[in-house]
Every structure is written in structure tokens, then in C-alpha cells.
């Protein structure tokens, strides 16, 4: 435990506390970046054998346990030393997911609509289209390899907390051909847009899950899901899979 020297002035003590807080925030950002590059929360949770809720809270302010942090670092193919202190950027094994060495930005179409992390949000018929530029170095392979089929949308509501927060910017892959169980998807139902986690069941049906336990879980039949993917004249459509998020840290 770090103790304060009795001779330290109040101003210096306050400065030390602010420096510690900045370092702690930087540590959380390193973990978020590593998890995103390794395929996202669900992929890292499964590979590290760490609960999805635990992983999310570790990325958003919860105090770390060394053993769990080490498992997360291994699943993300980074060293625990780098994850904790940022002074050893080398991967622990191969370089498949190393960050690009350039400072190039990647631009994605950014639609002026919001995905409701709740009970649905209406879409304005006149959707303005702009673009958002994101440093290539912080984007996961899944985004870079499919950038032509990726767009940016904004989350509205709290039903996907702690995975997604109100105001988060998300990148969505629109070339969906099947459901990846446990992943988060953007869904259109009539003129409402939702963002939910989809989980496959043994009978072929799909659970529509909110990470926030205050919201109930729905279920869609296998035939409905097939129609949503094809958009064969039905009022529902799977827009795409959420593959990256960016937003403010919450406590």
C-alpha cells in the first residue's frame, strides 16, 4: 500500500492523487483497446474463461484482481506487464493482432440515427449521412478486414449496460449472413431500431437479450430470424453485428 509522507503538502498530495487517477484511467483504456483488437467482449470472455459481466466491469472502473487480469491479457495476446503499466507493448506470442505502425485514419459512413438500448426508437425518414474517422491503430481486425461493409451508429438508452452506454458510438458490420451466438446486433422492427444481444438456442430459436437485468428477454423463432436476415418483405431486419464501440468511461 502506498502511504503519504507526513511532510507532503496538501497541494502535492492532491496532485499525486490526480496522477494516480489518470494512470488508472489509462490502464482501463489499454484493456478496452486490447479487448477490441482481440475480437470484442464476448470473444475475450470465452477465451479467458472470465464472465462477460466481470470483463465489462474490469474495463469500466472495477478494481482488478491480478489473476483475472492475467487471464484477460493472455486472451488478448498482450503481456500482463503492458496491460498494467504500458511499458511493454509486445505481444506474448505471435504478431497477428499487433497494431499497425502508421497513423492512418479510417472513415466510415455515420448515419444520423440512434440505436435504442431499450424498447425502440423511431427513425426519421430523412437520415443525414456524414462520416466518422477513427485511427486505424485502435481498430480490430474484424473491422479492418470488412471496412467496406461497416457503418457507424449511436446508442441511446441503458438496456445494454454495462456493455454499451447511452451515447456510445458503435461500428456495425452490415454483411450479416448468419447469427453469431452471444454477439450484439442492430435490429430494425418497422421504423424502430434496437441494439440487443442474440443467443442461439438448441431448437434453432434465438433469445433477444438485454445485458441490463432490468429488461426482459424475448425470443424469436428460427423462421423469423431467417426472414430478418434475408429481409424478405418482413417488417423486421437485422441491420448488422456490432463489432466495435467507443464512448466515455462510466463508474
Amino acid at each position: 500500500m502506498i502511504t503519504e509522507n507526513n511532510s507532503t503538502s496538501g497541494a502535492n498530495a492532491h496532485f499525486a492523487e490526480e496522477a494516480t487517477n489518470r494512470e488508472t484511467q489509462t490502464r482501463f483504456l489499454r484493456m478496452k483497446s486490447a479487448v477490441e483488437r482481440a475480437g470484442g467482449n464476448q470473444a475475450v470472455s470465452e477465451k479467458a474463461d472470465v464472465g462477460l459481466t466481470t470483463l465489462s466491469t474490469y474495463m469500466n472502473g472495477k478494481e482488478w484482481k491480478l489473476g483475472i487480469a492475467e487471464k484477460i491479457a493472455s486472451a488478448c495476446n498482450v503481456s500482463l506487464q503492458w496491460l498494467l503499466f504500458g511499458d511493454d507493448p509486445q505481444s506474448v506470442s505471435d504478431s497477428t493482432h499487433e497494431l499497425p505502425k502508421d497513423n492512418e485514419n479510417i472513415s466510415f459512413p455515420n448515419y444520423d440515427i440512434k440505436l435504442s438500448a431499450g424498447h425502440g426508437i423511431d427513425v426519421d425518414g430523412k437520415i443525414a449521412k456524414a462520416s466518422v474517422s477513427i485511427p486505424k491503430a485502435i481498430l480490430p481486425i474484424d473491422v479492418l478486414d470488412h471496412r467496406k461493409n461497416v457503418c457507424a451508429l449511436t446508442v441511446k438508452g441503458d438496456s445494454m449496460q454495462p456493455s454499451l452506454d447511452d451515447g456510445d458510438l458503435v461500428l456495425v458490420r452490415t454483411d450479416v449472413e448468419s447469427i453469431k451466438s452471444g454477439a450484439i446486433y442492430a435490429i430494425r422492427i418497422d421504423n424502430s431500431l434496437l441494439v440487443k444481444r442474440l443467443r442461439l438456442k438448441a431448437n434453432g430459436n434465438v433469445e433477444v437479450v438485454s445485458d441490463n437485468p432490468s429488461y426482459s428477454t424475448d425470443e424469436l423463432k428460427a423462421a423469423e430470424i431467417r426472414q430478418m436476415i434475408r429481409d424478405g418483405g418482413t417488417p423486421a431486419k437485422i441491420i448488422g453485428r456490432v463489432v466495435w464501440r467507443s464512448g466515455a468511461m462510466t463508474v
Side-chain angles (χ1 to χ4, degrees):
M1 182 175 67
I2 300 175
T3 57
E4 182 182 330
N5 190 298
N6 290 334
S7 63
T8 303
S9 68
N12 286 340
H14 181 66
F15 178 80
E17 181 179 349
E18 287 185 341
T20 299
N21 289 339
R22 285 196 297 271
E23 171 54 33
T24 300
Q25 291 177 351
T26 302
R27 176 156 49 90
F28 295 143
L29 289 174
R30 281 197 297 271
M31 178 175 283
K32 283 189 175 185
S33 175
V35 169
E36 288 165 356
R37 297 199 312 272
N41 292 27
Q42 186 71 28
V44 172
S45 172
E46 294 175 357
K47 188 174 181 179
D49 194 25
V50 172
L52 188 60
T53 299
T54 298
L55 176 62
S56 296
T57 57
Y58 268 45
M59 294 167 60
N60 288 284
K62 182 179 179 181
E63 183 179 351
W64 294 1
K65 291 183 179 179
L66 190 60
I68 295 179
E70 186 173 15
K71 292 167 69 175
I72 294 172
S74 177
C76 293
N77 197 34
V78 299
S79 71
L80 181 61
Q81 178 80 6
W82 175 81
L83 195 62
L84 293 174
F85 306 110
D87 55 359
D88 178 14
Q90 298 302 315
S91 299
V92 294
S93 57
D94 62 50
S95 59
T96 302
H97 296 295
E98 285 185 1
L99 292 174
K101 300 184 185 301
D102 57 22
N103 296 317
E104 178 186 354
N105 284 348
I106 305 294
S107 293
F108 301 97
N110 184 19
Y111 293 94
D112 188 21
I113 58 177
K114 290 181 171 60
L115 294 170
S116 174
H119 299 294
I121 187 168
D122 288 337
V123 183
D124 189 337
K126 297 179 180 179
I127 300 173
K129 179 180 175 183
S131 64
V132 59
S133 293
I134 301 172
K136 179 179 179 181
I138 67 172
L139 294 172
I141 299 299
D142 194 24
V143 172
L144 297 176
D145 287 350
H146 301 274
R147 67 183 73 174
K148 293 182 179 179
N149 297 303
V150 173
C151 67
L153 299 169
T154 301
V155 174
K156 180 69 174 178
D158 65 353
S159 78
M160 290 305 293
Q161 288 181 342
S163 300
L164 298 175
D165 286 317
D166 182 61
D168 280 356
L169 179 76
V170 295
L171 296 182
V172 177
R173 267 188 63 182
T174 59
D175 54 339
V176 173
E177 296 181 353
S178 60
I179 297 297
K180 183 178 180 181
S181 185
I184 299 174
Y185 287 83
I187 305 168
R188 175 182 60 78
I189 299 178
D190 291 325
N191 285 328
S192 294
L193 295 176
L194 300 170
V195 57
K196 299 292 179 185
R197 193 178 302 279
L198 301 183
R199 289 182 181 154
L200 293 173
K201 300 185 67 177
N203 62 3
N205 291 352
V206 173
E207 288 184 330
V208 183
V209 181
S210 298
D211 286 0
N212 185 336
S214 300
Y215 292 79
S216 61
T217 296
D218 296 318
E219 185 170 328
L220 294 170
K221 295 181 179 179
E224 293 174 321
I225 285 293
R226 286 194 293 269
Q227 288 179 329
M228 289 175 70
I229 293 174
R230 293 194 303 263
D231 195 25
T234 68
K237 167 71 175 177
I238 293 180
I239 298 171
R241 178 164 56 88
V242 175
V243 290
W244 186 84
R245 69 166 288 275
S246 175
M249 294 178 62
T250 57
V251 179

